[in-house]
Amino acid sequence: NAGVTQTPKFQVLKTGQSMTLQCAQDMNHEYMSWYRQDPGMGLRLIHYSVGAGITDQGEVPNGYNVSRSTTEDFPLRLLSAAPSQTSVYFCASSYSSADRERDGYTFGSGTRLTVV
Amino acid sequence: QKEVEQDPGPLSVPEGAIVSLNCTYSNSAFQYFMWYRQYSRKGPELLMYTYSSGNKEDGRFTAQVDKSSKYISLFIRDSQPSDSATYLCATNFGNEKLTFGTGTRLTIIP
């Protein structure tokens, strides 16, 4: 049972480049989400999905795109990277039921992205 | 103003001390309250959750919620060096979307 797997762990991009951060979970969780973590800002929700084919915006969605074609995968696309997107990105998943508070979100180990 | 406010610290205490970590929130509609622990260069992991006002204990950890004053606390008794981490409070409206505090960085000094 691998939990939530994020790739890559580290990435350096040039301004204007695009890339996809991968997230996969093997727990059959309905809910998946992407957060970015910045010093002094905490974890901020970028996009989330309550099931395959359903996505919605979070608190800071601009510059990011997502899709959910399967229950297991939830990739995050940076369309045209900017230095302001330098951050640590976390993918998280949970059940979409009352069990989610008891069991908690399962987070990946993060992707450290630097945009130069 | 952020919906959940948390003192970022850092906080350093000697081993064995009682640690108190606190958050305040602004929206009375928040229903569940959680504490996550995050070790350096790792993702957060759930430490405790509670729904109602009052105290909830789990070993050396006690989560306290006061809905009347919109105040959340986490107490750590007999603190250990392994408790050194960033602690994040979190809350939701009873749905999937979590709102996190900024996190408090805690160091336990041996």
Side-chain angles (χ1 to χ4, degrees):
Chain A
N1 189 343
V4 175
T5 302
Q6 288 185 239
T7 56
K9 294 190 182 303
F10 302 93
Q11 184 70 49
V12 178
L13 285 180
K14 293 182 178 179
T15 297
Q17 287 185 317
S18 62
M19 78 160 294
T20 298
L21 279 63
Q22 301 291 344
C23 175
Q25 53 93 8
D26 61 358
M27 298 167 285
N28 204 31
H29 283 167
E30 300 94 345
Y31 179 77
M32 296 186 74
S33 56
W34 277 100
Y35 287 87
R36 59 178 289 174
Q37 188 172 37
D38 304 289
M41 303 295 290
L43 285 160
R44 292 182 292 170
L45 183 64
I46 304 171
H47 285 286
Y48 65 97
S49 168
V50 297
I54 305 170
T55 63
D56 206 346
Q57 296 181 353
E59 181 184 357
V60 287
N62 292 340
Y64 307 95
N65 208 350
V66 293
S67 60
R68 183 106 178 260
S69 56
T70 67
T71 300
E72 295 79 17
D73 301 298
F74 191 45
L76 178 72
R77 297 183 189 85
L78 277 70
L79 309 173
S80 177
S84 60
Q85 293 179 305
T86 294
S87 187
V88 181
Y89 291 85
F90 287 100
C91 178
S93 71
S94 75
Y95 292 110
S96 283
S97 69
D99 291 339
R100 64 175 169 268
E101 282 79 25
R102 179 199 67 195
D103 298 337
Y105 282 41
T106 301
F107 281 81
S109 56
T111 295
R112 296 180 177 274
L113 176 69
T114 301
V115 182
V116 297
Chain B
Q1 181 189 3
K2 288 180 67 69
E3 288 190 292
V4 180
E5 298 280 357
Q6 185 175 7
D7 186 341
L11 182 63
S12 295
V13 301
E15 182 176 355
I18 296 175
V19 176
S20 173
L21 304 168
N22 306 295
C23 290
T24 58
Y25 62 95
S26 57
N27 195 327
S28 59
F30 284 131
Q31 295 188 20
Y32 286 91
F33 304 90
M34 289 141 274
W35 285 95
Y36 279 76
R37 179 174 61 194
Q38 184 177 21
Y39 291 113
S40 181
R41 296 185 175 271
K42 300 288 187 182
E45 56 182 356
L46 181 67
L47 190 60
M48 295 188 71
Y49 88 99
T50 185
Y51 174 76
S52 58
S53 282
N55 294 350
K56 182 177 182 180
E57 280 193 27
D58 185 0
R60 296 184 295 110
F61 299 89
T62 299
Q64 185 178 81
V65 176
D66 182 345
K67 288 190 175 182
S68 62
S69 57
K70 301 189 185 66
Y71 203 79
I72 314 164
S73 298
L74 178 70
F75 300 98
I76 307 174
R77 293 183 299 278
D78 187 24
S79 55
Q80 304 293 312
S82 59
D83 295 329
S84 297
T86 296
Y87 290 80
L88 302 112
C89 59
T91 182
N92 69 5
F93 296 108
N95 59 12
E96 298 87 354
K97 291 173 63 177
L98 278 184
T99 299
F100 285 89
T102 54
T104 300
R105 186 173 175 183
L106 173 67
T107 301
I108 307 299
I109 304 166

